[in-house]
Amino acid sequence: MRNLKLKMRVRCAELSALGVPQCFSVRMDTHTLLIASAYAIIEYDPRTAQVVNEVSLTAEDYLPADGSGCVVGVQDLPDQECVCVATANGDVILYNLNTQQLECVGSVDSGLTGMSWSPDQELVTLTTGQQSIIMMTKDFEPITEVPIHQEDFGEGKFITVGWGKKETQFHGSEGKQAAQKRSTEVLPAVAWDDRKPRVTWRGDGQLFALSAVCPHTGARKVRVWNRECVLQATSETINGLEQALCWKPSGSLIASTQRHPNKHSVVFLEKNGLLHGDFTLPIHKDQARVRELLWNSDSTVLAVWLEDMKPGEDGHTNTQIQLWCVGNYHWYLKQSLRFGAGECVEGQCVEGACVSPSASPSPVCVCWDPERPLVLHLLTRAWSCLTYRWGWATDRSHGDGPHDNANVAVIDGDKVLVTAFAQCVVPPPMSSFELQCPAPVAMVTFCSEEGRPNDLAALTDDTRLCVYRQGEGGASASAAGGFKTITHPPELSNTYRVELGGAGPLGLRLVVWIREHSFLGVTDGEHLDQSKVLLLKPSTNGSTLEISSEVCVPGQVISVCHSGRSNTVLLQLEDGQLHKLLWEGCELATVPWTNSRGSPVNFPQPCEHTALCSVSGEEYPLGLTDRAHLYLGDTELASGVSSFVVCDDFLLLTTHTHTCRCLQLNAHTTRGLVSALGSDGGQNDETLRRVERGSRIVTMVTHDTRLILQMPRGNLETIHHRALVLAQLRKKLDSLKFREAFEVMRKQRINLNLIYDHNPKAFLENVEMFVKQVDSVNHINLFLTELREEDTTKSMYPPPTHCPPAPAPAPPLASAPGHSGKKVDIVCDTLRTTMEQLNPDRYCLCILTTHVKKTVPELETALQKVHQLRVHPAGSAEAVGAEEALKYLLFLVDVNELYTHSLGTYDFTLVLMVAEKSQKDPKEYLPFLNMLKSLEPNYQRYTIDTHLKRYSKALTHLSKCGEEHFPEVLNLVKDQQLYKEALSLYAADSPQYRELSGAYAEYLVERGQAEQAGLLLWRCGELGRALQAFVGGVSWRHALSVAMQMSLPPDQLALLARDLAEKLLEQRRYTEASVLLEQYAKDCEEAISALITGAAWEEALRLVHLYSRQDIIETNLKPALLEAYSTQALFLESQRALFTRHQSRLAVVREEKEKAKLEMLEEGDCGEVELYSEASSVLSASQTGSRYTHSNSRISARSSKNRRKAEGKKFSLKEGSPFEDTALLHALTHITHTVDKMREEVQGLLKALVLFQYDDQAGALQRDYSLLLTLIESNIPHIWTQHTTNTPVTGPNSTANSITASFQQQRAPPTGQQDTEALTPPKMRTTVKWKLSVLD
């Protein structure tokens, strides 16, 4: 649904050259024109109107000096920097553009009728006067020569299988009479046919087609040849086939023209010579002839060059060039250029014909630019040059109000096809309505004034402006027969003629309707590098548009953009310069476009599509180049953009990666837009949507979410972009329009949780409004059933990254003001309370849903309400019955689960009601229910609870059944381990309590909690069992207390104390054992021996002197002291040696890994750099030791013993192991902690040694221990260096790989607590004073 909009027209003055231009070519590297005439070859630059090169063809007798010669072809050869010229007398001439030398590379005696080069310029075909084809290489070496007219069909001849008769074949719509139909007579070519052959190549250069007049029949035939000049196919007989021939560059269709008895058509042939489609030219029979057909380079536009058969009233023959394009299998006439016959400049007479100043010179040569697809070059007989540059544009209405119908206008000849997308989506080539114009339409513009978005103006090719205004009754109106008129077509209001004074075809371009009676237009300036911007207003008589004001712009204006909001007019020049047009004053004026800082803003490249938008409160120009670069001012937003539209503060664009992006402009800065468009988008990115390949934006319906896309083949697709939908929903929810939001969410399949999650506080404060607006039980139930704890504003529909804060920020879930708990429970409770206050009968099903949907479903409450409906049915008409309510509950909840819960209510009526609705067999549940009814109530409930596995409730009911059921209570407690619950059901002085306590104590003893078991037994009076439990748990204080309470004899008490002391000695609790032996067993010698064994030197000395056993000092204490000294000395020496060895090995391991790390960095691969540091070896175990990790994963599934073994191997100190550095750190940490904990023990030993005058031993021990502590403390900073931390390493000596590896290590978490401890430097207790000054 795009139109061709004229961007630029360059009209050059006539050259002073002899003769008439006969053919020309475009030089691709300089975009100059290479023109050949009967006298010379001229290189002409239309941008500067200067002749670059000129060489005479008559000076060296290539052509006659009298100008009677003819040039049949000219071709630019950029690889050779030459121009190839073919003359009718048979010469092939090369003109070197550098040396300006002419060279005849070949000559054909019979003369030449045409020359055509292949698209790759490797081959050239020459058609001769002897009706033959000569094929040559680019170096003009002959390949072959074949006759044009051949009897054979070609290599692609159709195969006949040889069965059946023509009379028995199916003839389609022609019927059986087609079998007897005689072959049509072959008619000769039309009289005005020039009888010359035409050659055209396919775009890939593999085939070429040739149209020539058959010498036998006089009719034209098309033959297709391959690259080796071998005939492939011959066309079928086509009466009326004309001379024009052109092969579509990017397709397999050959375009030609055919004259029918009642119409004139452009027909298409396939490479096998068969017809394949056509379209009719909008001309009368015998009105005009087609001189040429020309495809542009990208095959999107077909130019039809027409020339009238008869002169007009003024005696001159008119010429017309029509531009056609196809969409959805329909051919549209997009542009029409009308030319007069005479050559004139401001009314002067040429060739004896006097014409009016408005007449335009007719072209004699026409061709498309080979590199710029929409640039057309024309040459006139008087050597004037016209260059037209078009661009694709979608003409859409620009209204911002709700009355805008989102109109899109499509030009099709003298008709404008208008589709109102706000009312209906009509696929092209159909439309909502057609506007008939008096002449072919050149462009369409919609009114930008507020309140008139549906008015449009159409500029015809004869410079008339037809103004159409929206008819009355634009809104929906009922009509007869029950039909509704949803929109009325615009009606023709005025037709103005624009007088420009000899501007030529399409002299007025880029017309913009800025106000009701004001139009802007652009025309050519007085110089080539100037443009005029005109302000056009109706004259007093209302028949013409007069120039109210004009301004010259230095440069070619290629686009005019107007903003209806700010009334700003943007002008873009050919080089991308931007100017602001000041049009609201008395005179037009232009100023450079500047930003808020006063700096000029220009597009880096000229843009094909422009718009004005507001970003962060500042107006910016937005442009899209033909290379798919999107610019916001001078900032490139994105590349690979195929189309865009700005509507309702949203920027929507499609990309070549088949996505559609939607960004809210007022929520972003320029950098934010660049960042948003540069991101790939996450899973729930609402701004990104996938679309069909090649989709382009047609328009967007204002104040709606509909976006119209057109596919490459022409069909339309309407989408609702998620970003637009969510933005509209957020506005509706902020405005508390719950019903409208609910309908949009249902239609667009948006999760209904957003109604609450968008603003929980607002929702909870307006629950009553929500219920009244929705006003539908089914819709409320739908909302309730979709509720879940997830916050959809954070998971599914997060707000845009740069979105401004909402007017009422939503509090976190489950923390709305005045409410606490989970989200689902809050919503259900609030809605239930509101509906019970409004109308509990009408909203009965909704109330049931609120019970069922809660986090812990209240099925029993819901069943009770159903039961109440059965017992006390509601009398209102809106109320539902019990049967309907139960049926609804069964829809929400599984019937078996509902049956279970109904049984838990102990209401058999309710159970039967649910069971009847289920698929259960009455033989299954009736006997069970009858058995339950026969039981005592408490025992009945116990049985039900046991059946439902609700053992706590079952225990409660069973405890009320009497003492005779206490054995069952005890069994239930033991089976289900309900000891605490059972104890709470009986009095503390009851026998049941005592028995339960005993059972509980046995359970605790089995669990290894003998002390707690003893406490239970002690408090309930079971002293013997309590004593046994305390002894088993080595709780000696409690045991002795119970023994004293039991009044045990002294000898038994002493035995008990010795027994407990032995257990304490086994646990190395020497001091506690000495207390038992001394105070209860009355054995001081054993008590002192226990203290000596435990190295409690001071306490042992106290007992020695207390009981006057100084003999023990010599026999036991001193030998023990010396032995302890020796042991400690040996231990300290071993720890010193071990520490030194581990430290040395750690340095070696680190050095090796550092070397390997540097080697990896030098190779440029940082993917495994982290393998080479001790920190990363822990953090990235999966990379450093893959074999170890895999074996560990196998081990982990076996047993806990094997898992512990595998964990131990992880810290193996074996040299070369993958975790050796970590194991060394772990071992050094263990040594440090062990040595540091010896401070108190060493101090006690030193005191005892000094007391008994072992000064040498004490001094040696203090010295050795002090040296070891110093050694460890001084090496801690060297062992636990920055290698074991995750600080990123940056600086002048860092590389990208090293910094990347450092950050990777920082992000990787430790794999376990032991790893963390190994990487953390140990702390030593330096504040503990252990040294003796007497030994210093």
Side-chain angles (χ1 to χ4, degrees):
M1 302 188 71
R2 296 185 297 171
N3 297 321
L4 283 174
K5 178 178 288 188
L6 183 60
K7 296 285 187 179
M8 186 175 66
R9 190 188 78 153
V10 178
R11 181 179 182 182
C12 302
E14 290 83 353
L15 293 175
S16 298
L18 298 176
V20 177
Q22 295 180 345
C23 53
F24 77 114
S25 176
V26 180
R27 188 176 178 185
M28 290 184 288
D29 52 353
T30 61
H31 297 291
T32 56
L33 302 182
L34 300 170
I35 309 170
S37 68
Y39 293 95
I41 301 173
I42 299 174
E43 182 180 2
Y44 178 69
D45 190 348
R47 295 169 298 180
T48 61
Q50 299 293 326
V51 175
V52 180
N53 289 313
E54 183 176 2
V55 63
S56 174
L57 294 176
T58 60
E60 299 186 21
D61 297 331
Y62 290 115
L63 291 177
D66 59 357
S68 60
C70 179
V71 176
V72 297
V74 61
Q75 177 66 46
D76 173 44
L77 303 176
D79 292 342
Q80 304 178 35
E81 296 184 350
C82 296
V83 181
C84 183
V85 178
T87 64
N89 58 10
D91 292 333
V92 178
I93 306 167
L94 276 185
Y95 170 47
N96 192 300
L97 295 170
N98 291 331
T99 62
Q100 299 184 4
Q101 297 295 321
L102 289 175
E103 178 187 0
C104 181
V105 296
S107 182
V108 179
D109 295 337
S110 61
L112 296 177
T113 57
M115 178 184 69
S116 180
W117 285 77
S118 64
D120 57 3
Q121 294 190 350
E122 294 291 330
L123 300 174
V124 58
T125 59
L126 303 173
T127 54
T128 69
Q130 293 181 345
Q131 298 293 307
S132 64
I133 304 173
I134 299 175
M135 178 169 282
M136 308 175 73
T137 66
K138 65 179 180 179
D139 298 323
F140 302 99
E141 297 178 358
I143 296 176
T144 184
E145 181 177 1
V146 296
I148 294 176
H149 305 289
Q150 300 185 17
E151 297 298 330
D152 188 18
F153 179 86
E155 290 185 347
K157 184 177 181 180
F158 303 113
I159 299 175
T160 303
V161 296
W163 55 268
K165 296 182 179 180
K166 183 176 181 180
E167 291 79 7
T168 61
Q169 302 301 309
F170 176 68
H171 298 280
S173 60
E174 296 183 359
K176 292 183 178 180
Q177 64 272 15
Q180 289 79 29
K181 186 177 180 180
R182 295 181 180 180
S183 59
T184 57
E185 182 182 357
V186 179
L187 300 178
V190 293
W192 53 266
D193 195 309
D194 59 8
R195 309 288 169 169
K196 294 181 180 180
R198 296 288 197 279
V199 177
T200 178
W201 286 81
R202 198 168 71 175
D204 59 359
Q206 299 300 313
L207 298 172
F208 68 91
L210 187 146
S211 173
V213 177
C214 179
H216 302 294
T217 62
R220 277 196 175 266
K221 278 190 176 183
V222 177
R223 291 177 171 86
V224 179
W225 311 72
N226 66 6
R227 195 174 176 87
E228 287 74 30
C229 206
V230 177
L231 182 64
Q232 299 297 302
T234 303
S235 68
E236 57 184 321
T237 301
I238 305 174
N239 283 329
L241 190 65
E242 297 180 323
Q243 63 187 20
L245 189 72
C246 190
W247 202 317
K248 190 175 182 180
S250 61
S252 59
L253 295 181
I254 308 168
S256 186
T257 57
Q258 181 183 10
R259 184 179 296 274
H260 299 273
N262 57 348
K263 64 179 180 178
H264 205 159
S265 301
V266 174
V267 296
F268 300 101
L269 295 86
E270 298 181 9
K271 65 179 181 179
N272 57 11
L274 298 180
L275 289 173
H276 184 92
D278 62 6
F279 67 89
T280 303
L281 294 172
I283 56 177
H284 302 295
K285 179 183 177 182
D286 298 330
Q287 176 186 352
R289 60 177 180 175
V290 179
R291 289 190 58 177
E292 293 293 346
L293 294 177
L294 300 102
W295 284 103
N296 69 335
S297 59
D298 64 356
S299 304
T300 56
V301 182
L302 176 63
V304 181
W305 184 2
L306 296 166
E307 188 176 87
D308 286 355
M309 299 288 292
K310 298 178 181 179
E313 295 179 358
D314 56 358
H316 303 129
T317 303
N318 295 322
T319 302
Q320 184 178 2
I321 297 177
Q322 297 178 350
L323 304 185
W324 294 79
C325 69
V326 65
N328 218 13
Y329 305 102
H330 176 78
W331 284 90
Y332 297 86
L333 174 56
K334 291 297 183 182
Q335 293 283 307
S336 179
L337 286 76
R338 294 180 181 271
F339 298 88
E343 300 294 337
C344 72
V345 179
E346 299 297 334
Q348 299 179 11
C349 297
V350 180
E351 296 183 359
C354 183
V355 295
S356 64
S358 61
S360 302
S362 298
V364 293
C365 298
V366 179
C367 78
W368 288 101
D369 193 280
E371 290 188 342
R372 297 172 292 178
L374 297 179
V375 174
L376 185 68
H377 301 281
L378 297 90
L379 273 178
T380 67
R381 182 178 298 273
W383 292 88
S384 63
C385 175
L386 287 172
T387 300
Y388 291 90
R389 173 185 166 190
W390 286 275
W392 292 107
T394 302
D395 293 315
R396 60 175 74 92
S397 57
H398 307 287
D400 292 331
H403 300 295
D404 181 19
N405 288 337
N407 291 319
V408 174
V410 178
I411 297 174
D412 188 9
D414 58 356
K415 294 181 292 185
V416 178
L417 312 179
V418 182
T419 302
F421 285 102
Q423 311 297 340
C424 55
V425 178
V426 181
M430 298 181 291
S431 60
S432 299
F433 39 82
E434 297 180 357
L435 304 180
Q436 184 67 47
C437 296
V441 179
M443 70 168 298
V444 176
T445 177
F446 283 90
C447 184
S448 301
E449 187 176 6
E450 186 177 356
R452 314 187 68 87
N454 301 317
D455 296 352
L456 65 90
L459 179 68
T460 60
D461 63 351
D462 57 357
T463 64
R464 280 185 287 179
L465 192 68
C466 302
V467 177
Y468 295 85
R469 303 186 186 275
Q470 181 68 49
E472 298 296 329
S476 301
S478 298
F483 293 97
K484 179 187 287 187
T485 303
I486 59 175
T487 185
H488 291 263
E491 299 174 354
L492 181 62
S493 174
N494 300 94
T495 300
Y496 302 103
R497 181 170 293 278
V498 184
E499 298 293 345
L500 297 178
L506 304 184
L508 182 65
R509 64 182 191 274
L510 303 176
V511 178
V512 177
W513 192 356
I514 56 175
R515 196 171 285 174
E516 183 177 1
H517 299 293
S518 300
F519 298 86
L520 288 177
V522 180
T523 186
D524 300 334
E526 297 178 358
H527 303 284
L528 287 178
D529 57 349
Q530 280 188 352
S531 298
K532 282 185 180 180
V533 180
L534 311 177
L535 178 61
L536 304 173
K537 292 185 178 181
S539 62
T540 55
N541 58 12
S543 61
T544 61
L545 284 179
E546 297 179 344
I547 300 175
S548 173
S549 177
E550 65 180 46
V551 61
C552 286
V553 180
Q556 291 288 341
V557 177
I558 62 172
S559 69
V560 179
C561 180
H562 176 243
S563 172
R565 289 186 177 182
S566 61
N567 270 336
T568 303
V569 175
L570 171 70
L571 304 179
Q572 183 194 187
L573 304 187
E574 184 183 9
D575 58 356
Q577 290 187 43
L578 300 177
H579 291 263
K580 182 182 292 186
L581 179 68
L582 308 178
W583 62 275
E584 295 181 302
C586 298
E587 295 292 334
L588 292 180
T590 62
V591 294
W593 188 281
T594 58
N595 56 21
S596 58
R597 299 183 299 275
S599 302
V601 175
N602 298 306
F603 288 140
Q605 302 176 30
C607 294
E608 292 295 316
H609 308 280
T610 57
L612 289 171
C613 62
S614 178
V615 179
S616 301
E618 183 178 353
E619 194 168 28
Y620 282 89
L622 193 66
L624 178 63
T625 70
D626 56 353
R627 298 294 182 181
H629 293 276
L630 182 65
Y631 291 100
L632 184 69
D634 51 8
T635 303
E636 183 177 356
L637 293 184
S639 59
V641 178
S642 57
S643 63
F644 77 92
V645 67
V646 177
C647 187
D648 292 341
D649 293 325
F650 283 93
L651 170 63
L652 293 104
L653 55 91
T654 56
T655 67
H656 291 309
T657 57
H658 327 307
T659 60
C660 180
R661 303 297 295 262
C662 178
L663 298 173
Q664 193 168 359
L665 293 173
N666 59 10
H668 291 78
T669 61
T670 303
R671 291 184 178 180
L673 288 172
V674 175
S675 175
L677 291 173
S679 64
D680 295 333
Q683 181 179 2
N684 294 319
D685 185 9
E686 66 182 53
T687 66
L688 182 67
R689 175 193 172 113
R690 302 291 297 179
V691 293
E692 187 176 336
R693 179 188 297 269
S695 300
R696 291 179 181 269
I697 294 176
V698 176
T699 188
M700 175 186 165
V701 182
T702 57
H703 298 283
D704 201 346
T705 60
R706 284 176 288 171
L707 180 66
I708 314 300
L709 301 176
Q710 186 170 28
M711 306 304 112
R713 58 185 176 274
N715 61 309
L716 300 179
E717 181 176 323
T718 302
I719 67 171
H720 296 261
H721 201 287
R722 184 55 54 91
L724 296 174
V725 173
L726 292 176
Q728 186 185 70
L729 282 177
R730 293 182 181 112
K731 290 181 180 179
K732 292 183 183 298
L733 292 175
D734 289 336
S735 304
L736 302 180
K737 298 178 180 178
F738 293 111
R739 181 178 181 81
E740 296 180 13
F742 188 89
E743 293 297 333
V744 172
M745 295 173 80
R746 283 189 64 211
K747 185 182 296 184
Q748 302 301 330
R749 301 180 70 179
I750 304 294
N751 194 293
L752 296 177
N753 282 267
L754 187 62
I755 296 177
Y756 172 85
D757 296 335
H758 177 70
N759 194 335
K761 179 182 178 182
F763 177 82
L764 295 176
E765 290 175 352
N766 298 276
V767 169
E768 184 175 348
M769 183 185 298
F770 169 77
V771 174
K772 290 182 178 179
Q773 285 187 11
V774 175
D775 196 30
S776 170
V777 173
N778 292 334
H779 290 173
I780 295 175
N781 284 334
L782 181 62
F783 169 71
L784 288 170
T785 52
E786 282 201 18
L787 284 176
R788 54 186 179 188
E789 291 300 327
E790 176 187 0
D791 186 356
T792 54
T793 60
K794 296 179 180 178
S795 57
M796 299 177 66
Y797 313 116
T801 308
H802 301 278
C803 185
L813 277 178
S815 62
H819 300 81
S820 61
K822 295 185 176 181
K823 163 189 163 181
V824 176
D825 295 342
I826 293 172
V827 176
C828 289
D829 293 340
T830 308
L831 274 173
R832 182 172 59 253
T833 303
T834 303
M835 290 184 292
E836 287 176 347
Q837 293 174 355
L838 292 175
N839 192 339
D841 293 339
R842 180 187 180 188
Y843 298 111
C844 177
L845 298 182
C846 301
I847 293 172
L848 293 178
T849 308
T850 59
H851 288 293
V852 173
K853 189 59 184 176
K854 293 192 69 172
T855 307
V856 179
E858 299 174 348
L859 295 180
E860 297 178 4
T861 306
L863 287 169
Q864 290 293 348
K865 291 192 175 183
V866 173
H867 183 59
Q868 290 176 6
L869 287 176
R870 169 166 288 189
V871 178
H872 305 288
S876 64
E878 297 178 340
V880 297
E883 295 293 331
E884 184 179 353
L886 182 60
K887 185 178 180 181
Y888 177 73
L889 270 183
L890 292 172
F891 172 75
L892 295 176
V893 187
D894 181 68
V895 63
N896 295 320
E897 185 179 356
L898 196 62
Y899 174 80
T900 300
H901 281 84
S902 64
L903 190 62
T905 62
Y906 315 116
D907 188 341
F908 292 102
T909 305
L910 192 59
V911 174
L912 286 173
M913 185 175 64
V914 174
E916 290 173 356
K917 297 293 182 182
S918 68
Q919 301 296 325
K920 293 179 177 291
D921 189 350
K923 295 180 181 180
E924 297 178 6
Y925 62 84
L926 284 180
F928 177 67
L929 295 180
N930 292 330
M931 181 272 293
L932 292 176
K933 289 181 180 179
S934 64
L935 300 176
E936 187 266 334
N938 286 321
Y939 198 79
Q940 178 191 86
R941 296 190 173 187
Y942 156 72
T943 307
I944 292 174
D945 292 332
T946 304
H947 176 74
L948 299 178
K949 297 183 180 180
R950 301 188 304 189
Y951 298 110
S952 297
K953 287 188 176 182
L955 178 62
T956 302
H957 292 130
L958 185 59
S959 65
K960 299 177 182 179
C961 293
E963 295 182 1
E964 64 275 11
H965 292 285
F966 183 73
E968 294 182 56
V969 172
L970 194 59
N971 291 333
L972 180 61
V973 169
K974 291 181 179 180
D975 292 341
Q976 304 301 326
Q977 301 174 2
L978 301 173
Y979 297 103
K980 296 180 182 178
E981 294 84 347
L983 290 175
S984 63
L985 297 175
Y986 292 95
D989 56 350
S990 63
Q992 292 86 355
Y993 188 89
R994 179 176 298 178
E995 192 167 351
L996 287 171
S997 297
Y1000 195 8
E1002 293 177 0
Y1003 170 73
L1004 291 175
V1005 170
E1006 293 175 358
R1007 296 284 300 272
Q1009 300 175 3
E1011 185 176 8
Q1012 297 183 39
L1015 292 174
L1016 287 176
L1017 294 170
W1018 191 3
R1019 73 178 186 178
C1020 65
E1022 296 287 341
L1023 299 181
R1025 296 173 64 187
L1027 178 61
Q1028 185 179 359
F1030 285 136
V1031 171
V1034 199
S1035 180
W1036 60 275
R1037 290 182 176 85
H1038 287 147
L1040 292 174
S1041 299
V1042 173
M1044 298 300 294
Q1045 187 177 353
M1046 294 173 61
S1047 303
L1048 285 181
D1051 54 341
Q1052 293 185 9
L1053 188 61
L1055 289 175
L1056 177 62
R1058 287 185 179 276
D1059 186 24
L1060 288 171
E1062 290 179 3
K1063 294 179 181 294
L1064 290 173
L1065 289 174
E1066 291 175 358
Q1067 298 179 1
R1068 296 190 177 184
R1069 297 161 63 181
Y1070 299 104
T1071 305
E1072 296 175 76
S1074 68
V1075 172
L1076 288 173
L1077 293 171
E1078 177 199 357
Q1079 296 182 10
Y1080 293 95
K1082 306 301 182 183
D1083 190 345
C1084 65
E1085 185 175 352
E1086 289 293 331
I1088 295 171
S1089 177
L1091 292 172
I1092 292 173
T1093 305
W1097 313 110
E1098 295 179 3
E1099 184 66 16
L1101 282 174
R1102 186 185 70 83
L1103 293 184
V1104 164
H1105 293 288
L1106 177 63
Y1107 293 103
S1108 301
R1109 292 296 306 271
Q1110 284 77 8
D1111 56 310
I1112 296 179
I1113 293 176
E1114 298 295 335
T1115 58
N1116 296 83
L1117 184 58
K1118 288 183 179 182
L1121 282 172
L1122 294 175
E1123 184 180 358
Y1125 161 74
S1126 302
T1127 303
Q1128 292 288 12
L1130 291 174
F1131 180 75
L1132 292 177
E1133 183 61 29
S1134 65
Q1135 293 299 306
R1136 174 193 292 274
L1138 197 60
F1139 185 87
T1140 304
R1141 185 169 69 250
H1142 289 343
Q1143 182 186 8
S1144 302
R1145 178 58 187 170
L1146 180 62
V1148 174
V1149 171
R1150 284 180 174 172
E1151 183 178 358
E1152 292 176 353
K1153 292 200 172 184
E1154 189 66 24
K1155 289 180 180 179
K1157 176 181 176 182
L1158 293 176
E1159 291 176 1
M1160 291 294 294
L1161 289 175
E1162 290 175 358
E1163 293 175 2
D1165 182 9
C1166 62
E1168 296 185 0
V1169 171
E1170 59 213 38
L1171 308 185
Y1172 302 104
S1173 70
E1174 61 282 345
S1176 61
S1177 64
V1178 177
L1179 306 180
S1180 305
S1182 62
Q1183 296 180 5
T1184 54
S1186 59
R1187 289 189 298 110
Y1188 178 83
T1189 305
H1190 294 164
S1191 62
N1192 195 17
S1193 64
R1194 293 193 298 268
I1195 292 173
S1196 62
R1198 298 175 186 172
S1199 64
S1200 59
K1201 181 179 180 181
N1202 288 338
R1203 286 196 298 271
R1204 287 194 300 270
K1205 187 182 298 183
E1207 187 67 22
K1209 289 182 179 179
K1210 185 177 179 180
F1211 296 101
S1212 172
L1213 292 172
K1214 182 179 179 180
E1215 292 188 6
S1217 64
F1219 296 98
E1220 184 183 1
D1221 50 356
T1222 306
L1224 289 170
L1225 284 173
H1226 190 270
L1228 290 169
T1229 302
H1230 178 71
I1231 293 173
T1232 303
H1233 287 313
T1234 301
V1235 173
D1236 188 59
K1237 291 177 182 178
M1238 293 173 59
R1239 294 175 187 264
E1240 291 82 358
E1241 184 179 354
V1242 170
Q1243 184 187 36
L1245 181 57
L1246 290 175
K1247 290 178 182 179
L1249 290 172
V1250 169
L1251 177 64
F1252 294 105
Q1253 297 183 356
Y1254 294 118
D1255 294 351
D1256 295 340
Q1257 290 86 345
L1261 179 62
Q1262 180 168 305
R1263 184 173 57 257
D1264 293 344
Y1265 186 55
S1266 178
L1267 290 174
L1268 182 56
L1269 288 176
T1270 303
L1271 174 66
I1272 294 174
E1273 290 176 3
S1274 62
N1275 283 284
I1276 283 179
H1278 302 289
I1279 296 173
W1280 285 271
T1281 61
Q1282 69 273 13
H1283 294 280
T1284 60
T1285 61
N1286 294 329
T1287 305
V1289 180
T1290 57
N1293 297 325
S1294 300
T1295 64
N1297 292 335
S1298 64
I1299 295 173
T1300 303
S1302 176
F1303 275 99
Q1304 288 176 351
Q1305 294 176 13
Q1306 185 184 28
R1307 290 194 298 266
T1311 57
Q1313 183 178 1
Q1314 291 181 339
D1315 300 338
T1316 306
E1317 292 176 356
L1319 299 176
T1320 305
K1323 295 181 179 180
M1324 301 189 69
R1325 301 178 301 159
T1326 56
T1327 57
V1328 177
K1329 304 299 182 182
W1330 61 274
K1331 284 187 176 183
L1332 299 183
S1333 58
V1334 297
L1335 297 175
D1336 290 340

